[in-house]
Amino acid sequence: MRRGLSIMLALCGLGAGTPSAQAHRLDEYLQATVIDLTRHEVAVTLRLTPGVDVAPGVIRQIDGNGDGAISPAEQRAYGRAVAGGLSLSLDGRALPLRVRTLAFPSIAAMRAGDGMITLRLAAAVTPAPAPGAHHLVYASHGAGPDAVYLVNALLPRDPGLRVTGQQRSADQSSCQLDFTVDR
């Protein structure tokens, strides 16, 4: 086992310095989502990376006035639009997501396929879930035909919350997180 791990690390190290090992998405808009569950809040972090071929369209969506710069107001508007295309529910009850923070790369970075937009969203869970089994459902709707998805949940830091299952749709645009709450 140790020898196999050493070989794998060595092979990874060999490829790390080669230019061909560095890949940029071309024709996809990656939406990578991480869900962080606590008793009183669900935090959702989205990392949106437009590929080189789709970046011009994404930039047009963000830069509403077409001046070639992304203003804070345009960033907030895009963040709200993305949040509006998401749904979150706990045991069948909708949890509205609110934009907490956002970070945008330069337009040049987006055009090069290196620009990652980061949106941090949160939904309050009130009242806190009672002891027992619960189901959290997250879905991304209408991100466009070029969108590809990844979705994962973090292991809860609270030892009284235990993830018992995670089912994703085939394209990972949605996820059901089953968990239990201890006293």
Side-chain angles (χ1 to χ4, degrees):
M1 176 73 175
R2 189 183 256 314
R3 180 174 143 82
L5 180 61
S6 297
I7 291 170
M8 184 173 33
L9 290 172
L11 290 173
C12 289
L14 288 174
T18 62
S20 62
Q22 300 174 1
H24 299 289
R25 294 196 163 284
L26 295 175
D27 59 352
E28 300 172 333
Y29 191 14
L30 174 63
Q31 185 179 94
T33 304
V34 176
I35 300 168
D36 189 6
L37 173 67
T38 71
R39 290 178 193 248
H40 302 286
E41 180 180 81
V42 178
V44 176
T45 301
L46 275 84
R47 291 180 177 87
L48 306 163
T49 309
V52 172
D53 294 345
V54 299
V58 172
I59 293 165
R60 276 192 302 278
Q61 289 176 2
I62 300 167
D63 183 15
N65 63 9
D67 68 354
I70 301 173
S71 71
E74 289 169 329
Q75 292 177 17
R76 288 189 301 275
Y78 190 72
R80 285 190 303 272
V82 170
L86 306 174
S87 65
L88 186 68
S89 67
L90 178 61
D91 299 331
R93 184 176 54 102
L95 298 177
L97 283 162
R98 290 179 175 53
V99 177
R100 207 183 243 171
T101 64
L102 34 84
F104 281 73
S106 68
I107 288 178
M110 281 194 279
R111 287 181 204 244
D114 290 330
M116 181 174 29
I117 301 164
T118 303
L119 303 176
R120 296 192 196 298
L121 310 149
V125 177
T126 347
H134 299 277
H135 308 284
L136 182 77
V137 177
Y138 164 85
S140 178
H141 313 280
D146 300 321
V148 293
Y149 306 92
L150 294 172
V151 62
N152 279 297
L154 296 177
L155 184 65
R157 293 175 296 259
D158 181 340
L161 295 177
R162 287 179 303 141
V163 174
T164 58
Q166 182 173 236
Q167 299 87 37
R168 297 178 192 92
S169 62
D171 68 356
Q172 292 197 40
S173 64
S174 64
C175 175
Q176 177 176 310
L177 185 67
D178 300 321
F179 67 99
T180 60
V181 176
D182 296 336
R183 293 202 180 271

